[in-house]
Amino acid sequence: MSVAQYYETMEYGPAPEADGEARAWLKTHGAVFEHFIGGVFAAPQQGEHFATFEPATGKTLARLAQGSAADINAAVAAARSAQPLWQRLGGHGRARHLYALARMLQRHARLFAVLEAIDNGKPLRETRDLDIPLSARHFLHHAGWAQLQERELADHLPVGVIGQIIPWNFPLLMLAWKIAPALAVGNTVVLKPAEYTSLSALLFAELATQAGLPPGVLNVVTGGGATGAALVDHPGVDKIAFTGSTEVGRLIRQATAGTGKSLTLELGGKSPFIVFEDADIDGAVEGVVDAIWFNQGQVCCAGSKLLVQEGIAETFRRRLIRRMERLRVGSPLDKAIDMGAVVAPVQLERIRSLVEAGVNEGAQRYQAATVLPQEGYFYPPTLLWNVHPSSTVAIEEIFGPVLVAMTFRTPDEAVMLANNTRYGLAASVWSETIGLALDIAPQLLAGVVWINATNLFDAGVGFGGYRESGFGREGGREGIYEYLTPNAWSTRKQREKPEATSVAQHNAGFELPPIDRTAKLFIGGKQVRPDGNYARAVRSPDSMQLGEVGEGNRKDIRNAVAAARSAAAWSRATAHNRAQILFYLAENLSARGDEFALRIAAMTGTTIANAKAEVDASIARLFSYGAWADKYEGAVHAPPLRGVVLAMNEPIGVVGVACPDEAPLLALISLVAPLLAMGNRVVVVPSESHPLAATDFYQVLETSDVPPGVVNIVTGRRDGLVEILAEHDDVDALWVFGSKQASATAERLSTGNLKRTLVDHGFMTDWYDGSASEGPILLRHAVQIKNIWIPYGD
Ligand code: NDP
């Protein structure tokens, strides 16, 4: 077309970005890439390679090394030998390196942006303006954490060697999100990029080494799912950090269960985009474009489920369709397109078949009229209107440019529809009434909520999910803690012998017997008989029978979980209210301190003085969490935009707690009190050998205004009850202290709803040492952080 014709039609002309440098880089490697291990490219030990394709053309782009277990082994060995030196370099030394990495990314920004667009199929406009600058920001922000580490994080150590597995949708950005925090605080890394999109990771590793990053600090092993699995299984890896599908996340949870490896999972989502009647409609329509057609909708937090209030639904639909008509799909290197190519044929097929399923289930389909390129994997921006909340497309993550829409009448209905998903990654709320938006945000079960905005990210703001969207956070202070381990926990010792569970024969003579006392279970604020009507004897170390407690079973746990679930008001109670009750518990425990001390001495065989010390420490601990209840607060972040982000510490919900045998009262209180302080409701399995401190505690609970259902106690065989709690999909988190076996069981069986687990792997905590068992060290696990983005101004 001539310029005059462009004026006439107002059509876009092609605006291609030159790709010469990126292709020249591929050529310097002969378009064949090896792994990057110990600071050099290293051929795969089995000599195999596989092809990687260019999504916009379907043509082969390069060949990549196929990683085997032997390659992973070499990479882990390189990371292991570099780790102590990297740690010893100190915060300032590492800050210099991370700063150099940020600068390196800025210097080579265009090369990375073009390579990423070619390899992934995403528009250059996005790689240039988002992926690369955000990656650089991540390194700069974390250079700051390295610099501040010795001051701000002095009571923590690096975890060690970290295995990181990333997906294909934001290849370089995910690399930055993973490696920047890990390296900043002294860990070394073995990274497995996605097989579709490994090139920017290899370019990064090469340029990082040229920028002075020491050998072995960052290692990249390319390959498929089996390569990832070999990394997960490697015994020399201390932690796995994974981003990808919920399905693979579950496999990894199972594979790492009981190994002592720590784990963070950033998984899928089906994030609601809620538009209220009083929203700025044009603003919200533009928001939809960014929510679902950004990166071809291949975004874990894509606003893929549109909920529009009925009164504006028709207007919204018309304006959205009008906007869709102007969207352009084409070559990722064309600077004037809105959407590029989908990453691979298999993804394209999945999108097609899910859209067909949606239409077959009654949805109306609208697609942008854009002309799709002849070759490559392209799919048009798509809207499915009138989708039923139970239809496949309303439930499944499509991971493509497909928006499903439904309407709602009231704010309550909007919240219900928004939360009607197993995921919980993100949500957008659109309303010009800030009171309404801020009322809705805390009710949404999602780790990130954007108000009148969508898809905003920053290195200083945590990102991560609730529920089956995974656990752990990336970014911000909370993201840094994912790569650290408390000093106080690094010196814990394994319990020497399995905890006593068997009960010796009682040989007592004819002395005056104590008055029979059979403790029941404590469920929903009441003392109730165990469902099975079995009791277990509790004996002193010299085999005296001290009493009997109920033998809890599956049904008791079910009732306890139901009671905890219905005590949701506790999670909404004010921190002041919770603090008051924790102090009151301390007061009432103190009033009966001597009685508890006698009981502890009888059960454990310790001296009365020691038992008194345990009661005193328990009282002090309750005071401590009474204090923390209104002081362990969130934060206000100031990302680079006009606005604020509120990082709110929210309760996790219903938490199962299994207590160890040592310090039976103090350990129970040390575990339960932080959870209560943060607004959780608990189902507690007390010490199996010494449960009477817990059953005596019922009366303290009853007299301290603890609402029914907030604390439920089920006595019995601890490891069996842990199994039931782990399998229960209405339990949101599980803390297991006391046995290696129970820790493994808890992790392995928690995959149903991907509950958060905090386990001791059989290592003994010193419950008298506040640095190991009191305060933020546990409070951090008692909350999940929701980040609410509130941009302001026009
Ligand atoms: P996967 O979860 O399969 O892949 C993510 C990463 O894990 C890749 O590096 C992959 O390797 C690797 N991997 C695959 N299997 C294993 C395993 N058993 N053990 C260890 N690592 C493994 O996601 P896909 O790329 O296959 O995408 C499938 C779906 O996942 C998408 O349709 C989408 O719904 C969702 N997804 C979600 C993402 C998110 O950000 N939450 C990101 C990407 C996908 P390889 O690349 O070789 O398969």
Side-chain angles (χ1 to χ4, degrees):
M1 268 200 299
S2 67
V3 174
Q5 282 169 315
Y6 283 126
Y7 268 118
E8 196 62 36
T9 60
M10 293 307 282
E11 273 297 313
Y12 285 93
E17 174 76 21
D19 59 0
E21 278 210 37
R23 299 213 185 258
W25 177 75
L26 293 173
K27 239 188 213 150
T28 57
H29 287 271
V32 178
F33 289 85
E34 316 297 16
H35 305 306
F36 196 85
I37 298 176
V40 292
F41 282 103
Q45 299 195 21
Q46 293 180 351
E48 285 174 23
H49 291 80
F50 62 94
T52 182
F53 299 93
E54 190 174 343
T57 61
K59 293 187 183 126
T60 303
L61 196 53
R63 293 186 64 74
L64 302 172
Q66 183 65 267
S68 61
D71 299 322
I72 291 289
N73 206 26
V76 172
R80 177 60 65 198
S81 70
Q83 197 277 326
L85 298 168
W86 181 243
Q87 184 178 346
R88 236 175 285 144
L89 189 57
H92 177 63
R94 288 193 298 276
R96 286 181 180 212
H97 277 294
L98 268 86
Y99 176 65
L101 294 178
R103 302 292 280 164
M104 177 276 281
L105 278 175
Q106 287 171 337
R107 274 198 307 283
H108 298 284
R110 199 47 70 96
L111 173 60
F112 275 107
V114 172
L115 184 70
E116 198 79 317
I118 296 174
D119 195 20
N120 170 281
K122 60 168 69 189
L124 177 90
R125 210 166 42 81
E126 291 174 9
T127 59
R128 183 195 60 197
D129 299 345
L130 189 132
D131 295 61
I132 313 304
L134 258 185
S135 301
R137 158 114 183 102
H138 233 76
F139 282 100
L140 192 79
H141 177 81
H142 287 92
W145 278 118
Q147 179 65 33
L148 297 178
Q149 182 175 6
E150 280 116 28
R151 187 196 140 95
E152 289 288 306
L153 306 160
D155 48 356
H156 283 72
L157 293 167
V159 176
V161 172
I162 317 289
Q164 302 185 319
I165 300 171
I166 54 174
W168 42 260
N169 52 348
F170 293 92
L172 186 74
L173 187 59
M174 287 300 105
L175 170 148
W177 281 26
K178 289 275 178 295
I179 72 172
L183 299 189
V185 292
N187 304 282
T188 53
V189 163
V190 177
L191 178 86
K192 207 296 279 176
E195 59 185 311
Y196 296 143
T197 55
S198 299
L199 292 172
S200 54
L202 294 165
L203 173 64
F204 182 91
E206 186 182 49
L207 295 181
T209 303
Q210 286 171 19
L213 194 70
V217 169
L218 168 64
N219 307 276
V220 179
V221 179
T222 53
T227 315
L231 181 56
V232 168
D233 291 340
H234 197 289
V237 170
D238 300 304
K239 175 188 171 88
I240 294 291
F242 171 81
T243 298
S245 60
T246 295
E247 188 191 357
V248 174
R250 280 206 169 87
L251 292 177
I252 294 179
R253 168 70 292 180
Q254 269 169 3
T256 53
T259 61
K261 286 176 194 160
S262 77
L263 178 64
T264 47
L265 297 176
E266 202 270 272
L267 310 174
K270 189 83 190 175
S271 301
F273 186 104
I274 309 169
V275 187
F276 285 98
E277 271 169 2
D278 61 355
D280 164 1
I281 295 186
D282 290 325
V285 166
E286 214 46 49
V288 167
V289 174
D290 286 340
I292 188 67
W293 295 312
F294 162 62
N295 202 20
Q296 296 71 249
Q298 302 167 135
V299 183
C300 50
C301 54
S304 54
K305 189 164 82 173
L306 173 66
L307 306 173
V308 196
Q309 198 157 12
E310 238 174 50
I312 55 160
E314 193 41 37
T315 312
F316 197 88
R317 185 185 66 88
R318 267 190 277 111
R319 291 201 207 171
L320 183 56
I321 290 170
R322 198 167 68 207
R323 179 68 181 90
M324 282 173 75
E325 280 159 8
R326 306 201 67 78
L327 292 171
R328 303 178 75 241
V329 180
S331 163
L333 291 177
D334 186 335
K335 282 169 279 194
I337 55 115
D338 297 290
M339 259 181 39
V342 166
V343 76
V346 52
Q347 285 298 121
L348 192 59
E349 205 31 61
R350 179 180 153 83
I351 297 166
R352 281 190 184 131
S353 72
L354 277 167
V355 168
E356 288 312 317
V359 172
N360 290 338
E361 285 175 341
Q364 288 160 260
R365 168 176 31 194
Y366 299 93
Q367 286 184 320
T370 177
V371 180
L372 300 183
Q374 291 300 300
E375 50 179 14
Y377 321 129
F378 291 91
Y379 195 82
T382 300
L383 165 67
L384 294 178
W385 191 261
N386 251 344
V387 167
H388 193 273
S390 65
S391 94
T392 315
V393 286
I395 293 163
E396 292 295 320
E397 183 182 36
I398 301 176
F399 226 66
V402 182
L403 179 68
V404 303
M406 54 198 87
T407 59
F408 66 89
R409 289 185 184 159
T410 62
D412 283 351
E413 195 188 353
V415 170
M416 211 180 64
L417 287 170
N419 289 339
N420 181 25
T421 163
R422 62 199 173 106
Y423 296 114
L425 198 49
S428 270
V429 180
W430 293 75
S431 165
E432 289 298 288
T433 311
I434 192 70
L436 174 64
L438 289 179
D439 181 41
I440 296 297
Q443 299 180 57
L444 298 172
L445 299 172
V448 183
V449 179
W450 294 291
I451 293 184
N452 294 326
T454 185
N455 277 338
L456 297 175
F457 311 97
D458 183 54
V461 180
F463 182 89
Y466 281 27
R467 306 201 282 184
E468 291 182 38
S469 289
F471 42 76
R473 292 288 181 269
E474 298 189 291
R477 186 182 277 267
E478 58 265 40
I480 273 289
Y481 281 118
E482 303 289 346
Y483 290 101
L484 291 168
T485 187
N487 283 336
W489 285 2
S490 65
T491 49
R492 290 187 301 191
K493 300 254 175 332
Q494 272 286 336
R495 286 182 183 80
E496 273 164 16
K497 55 179 174 55
E499 297 188 302
T501 53
S502 63
V503 176
Q505 196 52 53
H506 172 35
N507 290 324
F510 293 92
E511 59 279 306
L512 186 65
I515 295 177
D516 175 74
R517 188 164 172 195
T518 305
K520 298 177 182 166
L521 312 180
F522 189 70
I523 297 177
K526 295 199 186 81
Q527 298 193 31
V528 294
R529 280 214 180 79
D531 167 71
N533 255 321
Y534 284 104
R536 59 168 44 222
V538 181
R539 295 177 196 275
S540 65
D542 61 358
S543 299
M544 275 280 292
Q545 176 149 337
L546 301 172
E548 290 186 348
V549 293
E551 183 75 68
N553 67 11
R554 188 171 290 275
K555 196 161 169 209
D556 297 313
I557 290 287
R558 201 182 68 197
N559 293 340
V561 172
R565 181 60 58 196
S566 62
W570 180 253
S571 300
R572 296 189 296 269
T574 62
H576 167 72
N577 188 244
R578 295 196 297 261
Q580 221 168 232
I581 288 176
L582 283 156
F583 282 123
Y584 198 22
L585 277 168
E587 179 188 329
N588 287 326
L589 176 59
S590 163
R592 299 179 50 193
D594 290 345
E595 183 193 323
F596 270 86
L598 284 173
R599 180 68 107 179
I600 290 168
M603 280 191 304
T604 63
T606 192
T607 62
I608 296 284
N610 283 345
K612 274 199 167 135
E614 182 174 343
V615 176
D616 287 345
S618 303
I619 293 165
R621 199 133 292 176
L622 285 166
F623 256 67
S624 171
Y625 286 107
W628 277 115
D630 59 0
K631 293 171 194 67
Y632 190 71
E633 292 179 309
V636 179
H637 297 305
L641 94 160
R642 191 141 178 264
V644 291
V645 180
L646 305 182
M648 315 265 293
N649 285 340
E650 293 198 336
I652 300 168
V654 174
V655 183
V657 180
C659 302
D661 282 342
E662 67 265 5
L665 178 66
L666 179 59
L668 178 140
I669 289 192
S670 300
L671 293 171
V672 167
L675 287 162
L676 296 186
M678 294 296 104
N680 299 284
R681 296 92 76 192
V682 294
V683 175
V684 186
V685 180
S687 155
E688 182 171 326
S689 303
H690 314 306
L692 297 177
T695 56
D696 290 352
F697 197 63
Y698 298 169
Q699 283 154 10
V700 178
L701 290 166
E702 282 166 340
T703 52
S704 304
D705 294 343
V706 178
V710 171
V711 180
N712 306 276
I713 299 178
V714 179
T715 49
R717 196 174 68 80
R718 189 192 50 208
D719 289 10
L721 295 174
V722 163
E723 215 172 294
I724 299 166
L725 281 166
E727 284 173 340
H728 199 307
D729 282 349
D730 218 16
V731 174
D732 302 303
L734 185 52
W735 290 14
V736 175
F737 284 69
S739 106
K740 196 172 176 189
Q741 188 53 41
S743 297
T745 304
E747 290 187 334
R748 184 170 45 82
L749 298 180
S750 64
T751 47
N753 62 343
L754 281 171
K755 52 178 70 66
R756 287 102 186 90
T757 52
L758 175 66
V759 302
D760 73 359
H761 294 292
F763 289 99
M764 190 138 74
T765 303
D766 180 353
W767 301 102
Y768 291 90
D769 174 5
S771 72
S773 60
E774 181 180 305
I777 197 167
L778 288 172
L779 286 165
R780 201 166 291 128
H781 297 274
V783 296
Q784 45 191 355
I785 298 179
K786 172 183 281 175
N787 279 285
I788 304 176
W789 290 69
I790 313 171
Y792 39 68
D794 283 333

